[in-house]
PDB file of all heavy atoms in Angstrom:
ATOM      1  N   GLY A1990     -29.814  34.078  22.668  1.00  0.00           N
ATOM      2  CA  GLY A1990     -28.738  33.164  23.089  1.00  0.00           C
ATOM      3  C   GLY A1990     -27.369  33.695  22.731  1.00  0.00           C
ATOM      4  O   GLY A1990     -26.540  32.990  22.166  1.00  0.00           O
ATOM      5  N   ALA A1991     -27.117  34.960  23.097  1.00  0.00           N
ATOM      6  CA  ALA A1991     -25.897  35.645  22.642  1.00  0.00           C
ATOM      7  C   ALA A1991     -24.846  35.700  23.745  1.00  0.00           C
ATOM      8  O   ALA A1991     -25.172  35.779  24.932  1.00  0.00           O
ATOM      9  CB  ALA A1991     -26.235  37.053  22.188  1.00  0.00           C
ATOM     10  N   PHE A1992     -23.596  35.690  23.316  1.00  0.00           N
ATOM     11  CA  PHE A1992     -22.464  36.046  24.170  1.00  0.00           C
ATOM     12  C   PHE A1992     -21.808  37.238  23.507  1.00  0.00           C
ATOM     13  O   PHE A1992     -21.162  37.121  22.466  1.00  0.00           O
ATOM     14  CB  PHE A1992     -21.473  34.897  24.325  1.00  0.00           C
ATOM     15  CG  PHE A1992     -20.383  35.214  25.326  1.00  0.00           C
ATOM     16  CD1 PHE A1992     -20.595  35.008  26.679  1.00  0.00           C
ATOM     17  CD2 PHE A1992     -19.172  35.750  24.923  1.00  0.00           C
ATOM     18  CE1 PHE A1992     -19.606  35.302  27.607  1.00  0.00           C
ATOM     19  CE2 PHE A1992     -18.183  36.055  25.847  1.00  0.00           C
ATOM     20  CZ  PHE A1992     -18.409  35.840  27.197  1.00  0.00           C
ATOM     21  N   ARG A1993     -21.963  38.418  24.123  1.00  0.00           N
ATOM     22  CA  ARG A1993     -21.481  39.667  23.518  1.00  0.00           C
ATOM     23  C   ARG A1993     -20.585  40.395  24.513  1.00  0.00           C
ATOM     24  O   ARG A1993     -21.008  40.753  25.607  1.00  0.00           O
ATOM     25  CB  ARG A1993     -22.664  40.560  23.146  1.00  0.00           C
ATOM     26  CG  ARG A1993     -23.523  39.984  22.037  1.00  0.00           C
ATOM     27  CD  ARG A1993     -24.685  40.864  21.696  1.00  0.00           C
ATOM     28  NE  ARG A1993     -25.459  40.297  20.601  1.00  0.00           N
ATOM     29  CZ  ARG A1993     -26.642  40.749  20.202  1.00  0.00           C
ATOM     30  NH1 ARG A1993     -27.210  41.776  20.828  1.00  0.00           N
ATOM     31  NH2 ARG A1993     -27.279  40.164  19.199  1.00  0.00           N
ATOM     32  N   GLY A1994     -19.355  40.621  24.075  1.00  0.00           N
ATOM     33  CA  GLY A1994     -18.409  41.331  24.915  1.00  0.00           C
ATOM     34  C   GLY A1994     -17.845  40.446  26.007  1.00  0.00           C
ATOM     35  O   GLY A1994     -18.521  39.559  26.528  1.00  0.00           O
ATOM     36  N   GLY A1995     -16.559  40.637  26.331  1.00  0.00           N
ATOM     37  CA  GLY A1995     -15.929  39.847  27.376  1.00  0.00           C
ATOM     38  C   GLY A1995     -15.225  38.618  26.827  1.00  0.00           C
ATOM     39  O   GLY A1995     -14.848  38.568  25.640  1.00  0.00           O
ATOM     40  N   GLN A1996     -15.075  37.609  27.683  1.00  0.00           N
ATOM     41  CA  GLN A1996     -14.306  36.440  27.269  1.00  0.00           C
ATOM     42  C   GLN A1996     -14.867  35.166  27.881  1.00  0.00           C
ATOM     43  O   GLN A1996     -15.496  35.184  28.944  1.00  0.00           O
ATOM     44  CB  GLN A1996     -12.837  36.573  27.670  1.00  0.00           C
ATOM     45  CG  GLN A1996     -12.592  36.514  29.167  1.00  0.00           C
ATOM     46  CD  GLN A1996     -11.117  36.484  29.514  1.00  0.00           C
ATOM     47  OE1 GLN A1996     -10.267  36.740  28.682  1.00  0.00           O
ATOM     48  NE2 GLN A1996     -10.802  36.173  30.765  1.00  0.00           N
ATOM     49  N   ILE A1997     -14.632  34.066  27.153  1.00  0.00           N
ATOM     50  CA  ILE A1997     -14.930  32.719  27.650  1.00  0.00           C
ATOM     51  C   ILE A1997     -13.629  31.923  27.613  1.00  0.00           C
ATOM     52  O   ILE A1997     -13.007  31.802  26.559  1.00  0.00           O
ATOM     53  CB  ILE A1997     -15.986  32.005  26.790  1.00  0.00           C
ATOM     54  CG1 ILE A1997     -17.342  32.701  26.895  1.00  0.00           C
ATOM     55  CG2 ILE A1997     -16.123  30.542  27.213  1.00  0.00           C
ATOM     56  CD1 ILE A1997     -18.399  32.101  25.979  1.00  0.00           C
ATOM     57  N   ILE A1998     -13.238  31.390  28.755  1.00  0.00           N
ATOM     58  CA  ILE A1998     -12.130  30.427  28.823  1.00  0.00           C
ATOM     59  C   ILE A1998     -12.758  29.106  29.264  1.00  0.00           C
ATOM     60  O   ILE A1998     -13.186  28.960  30.399  1.00  0.00           O
ATOM     61  CB  ILE A1998     -11.038  30.853  29.818  1.00  0.00           C
ATOM     62  CG1 ILE A1998     -10.538  32.266  29.503  1.00  0.00           C
ATOM     63  CG2 ILE A1998      -9.899  29.843  29.800  1.00  0.00           C
ATOM     64  CD1 ILE A1998      -9.854  32.392  28.169  1.00  0.00           C
ATOM     65  N   SER A1999     -12.814  28.167  28.349  1.00  0.00           N
ATOM     66  CA  SER A1999     -13.501  26.907  28.631  1.00  0.00           C
ATOM     67  C   SER A1999     -12.570  25.734  28.393  1.00  0.00           C
ATOM     68  O   SER A1999     -11.798  25.713  27.437  1.00  0.00           O
ATOM     69  CB  SER A1999     -14.749  26.771  27.747  1.00  0.00           C
ATOM     70  OG  SER A1999     -15.335  25.494  27.897  1.00  0.00           O
ATOM     71  N   LYS A2000     -12.693  24.709  29.255  1.00  0.00           N
ATOM     72  CA  LYS A2000     -11.942  23.474  29.075  1.00  0.00           C
ATOM     73  C   LYS A2000     -12.781  22.402  28.387  1.00  0.00           C
ATOM     74  O   LYS A2000     -12.357  21.254  28.268  1.00  0.00           O
ATOM     75  CB  LYS A2000     -11.441  22.962  30.429  1.00  0.00           C
ATOM     76  CG  LYS A2000     -10.456  23.903  31.081  1.00  0.00           C
ATOM     77  CD  LYS A2000      -9.287  24.199  30.162  1.00  0.00           C
ATOM     78  CE  LYS A2000      -8.389  25.272  30.709  1.00  0.00           C
ATOM     79  NZ  LYS A2000      -7.301  25.605  29.761  1.00  0.00           N
ATOM     80  N   GLY A2001     -13.968  22.783  27.954  1.00  0.00           N
ATOM     81  CA  GLY A2001     -14.827  21.878  27.205  1.00  0.00           C
ATOM     82  C   GLY A2001     -15.386  22.592  25.995  1.00  0.00           C
ATOM     83  O   GLY A2001     -14.951  23.692  25.625  1.00  0.00           O
ATOM     84  N   HIS A2002     -16.376  22.001  25.347  1.00  0.00           N
ATOM     85  CA  HIS A2002     -16.968  22.593  24.157  1.00  0.00           C
ATOM     86  C   HIS A2002     -17.720  23.877  24.511  1.00  0.00           C
ATOM     87  O   HIS A2002     -18.242  24.038  25.623  1.00  0.00           O
ATOM     88  CB  HIS A2002     -17.954  21.617  23.508  1.00  0.00           C
ATOM     89  CG  HIS A2002     -17.333  20.306  23.124  1.00  0.00           C
ATOM     90  ND1 HIS A2002     -16.372  20.193  22.136  1.00  0.00           N
ATOM     91  CD2 HIS A2002     -17.535  19.039  23.605  1.00  0.00           C
ATOM     92  CE1 HIS A2002     -16.015  18.919  22.017  1.00  0.00           C
ATOM     93  NE2 HIS A2002     -16.697  18.199  22.899  1.00  0.00           N
ATOM     94  N   VAL A2003     -17.802  24.776  23.554  1.00  0.00           N
ATOM     95  CA  VAL A2003     -18.588  26.015  23.688  1.00  0.00           C
ATOM     96  C   VAL A2003     -19.669  26.005  22.617  1.00  0.00           C
ATOM     97  O   VAL A2003     -19.365  25.869  21.424  1.00  0.00           O
ATOM     98  CB  VAL A2003     -17.703  27.265  23.557  1.00  0.00           C
ATOM     99  CG1 VAL A2003     -18.559  28.525  23.526  1.00  0.00           C
ATOM    100  CG2 VAL A2003     -16.704  27.331  24.703  1.00  0.00           C
ATOM    101  N   ARG A2004     -20.949  26.137  23.041  1.00  0.00           N
ATOM    102  CA  ARG A2004     -22.091  26.165  22.128  1.00  0.00           C
ATOM    103  C   ARG A2004     -22.867  27.463  22.374  1.00  0.00           C
ATOM    104  O   ARG A2004     -23.410  27.674  23.462  1.00  0.00           O
ATOM    105  CB  ARG A2004     -23.013  24.969  22.364  1.00  0.00           C
ATOM    106  CG  ARG A2004     -22.308  23.619  22.299  1.00  0.00           C
ATOM    107  CD  ARG A2004     -21.970  23.264  20.849  1.00  0.00           C
ATOM    108  NE  ARG A2004     -21.412  21.930  20.759  1.00  0.00           N
ATOM    109  CZ  ARG A2004     -20.132  21.644  20.785  1.00  0.00           C
ATOM    110  NH1 ARG A2004     -19.258  22.641  20.908  1.00  0.00           N
ATOM    111  NH2 ARG A2004     -19.700  20.402  20.698  1.00  0.00           N
ATOM    112  N   VAL A2005     -22.928  28.330  21.369  1.00  0.00           N
ATOM    113  CA  VAL A2005     -23.555  29.648  21.491  1.00  0.00           C
ATOM    114  C   VAL A2005     -24.419  29.889  20.268  1.00  0.00           C
ATOM    115  O   VAL A2005     -24.055  29.493  19.145  1.00  0.00           O
ATOM    116  CB  VAL A2005     -22.487  30.757  21.622  1.00  0.00           C
ATOM    117  CG1 VAL A2005     -23.131  32.108  21.833  1.00  0.00           C
ATOM    118  CG2 VAL A2005     -21.533  30.457  22.766  1.00  0.00           C
ATOM    119  N   GLN A2006     -25.551  30.561  20.473  1.00  0.00           N
ATOM    120  CA  GLN A2006     -26.378  30.946  19.319  1.00  0.00           C
ATOM    121  C   GLN A2006     -25.720  32.107  18.564  1.00  0.00           C
ATOM    122  O   GLN A2006     -25.565  32.065  17.350  1.00  0.00           O
ATOM    123  CB  GLN A2006     -27.786  31.353  19.781  1.00  0.00           C
ATOM    124  CG  GLN A2006     -28.570  30.225  20.433  1.00  0.00           C
ATOM    125  CD  GLN A2006     -28.857  29.094  19.478  1.00  0.00           C
ATOM    126  OE1 GLN A2006     -29.315  29.310  18.350  1.00  0.00           O
ATOM    127  NE2 GLN A2006     -28.562  27.879  19.901  1.00  0.00           N
TER     128      GLN A2006
END
Side-chain angles (χ1 to χ4, degrees):
F1992 186 84
R1993 293 179 178 170
Q1996 68 173 13
I1997 294 175
I1998 306 296
S1999 173
K2000 296 305 172 183
H2002 302 294
V2003 173
R2004 306 286 185 267
V2005 183
Q2006 296 296 312

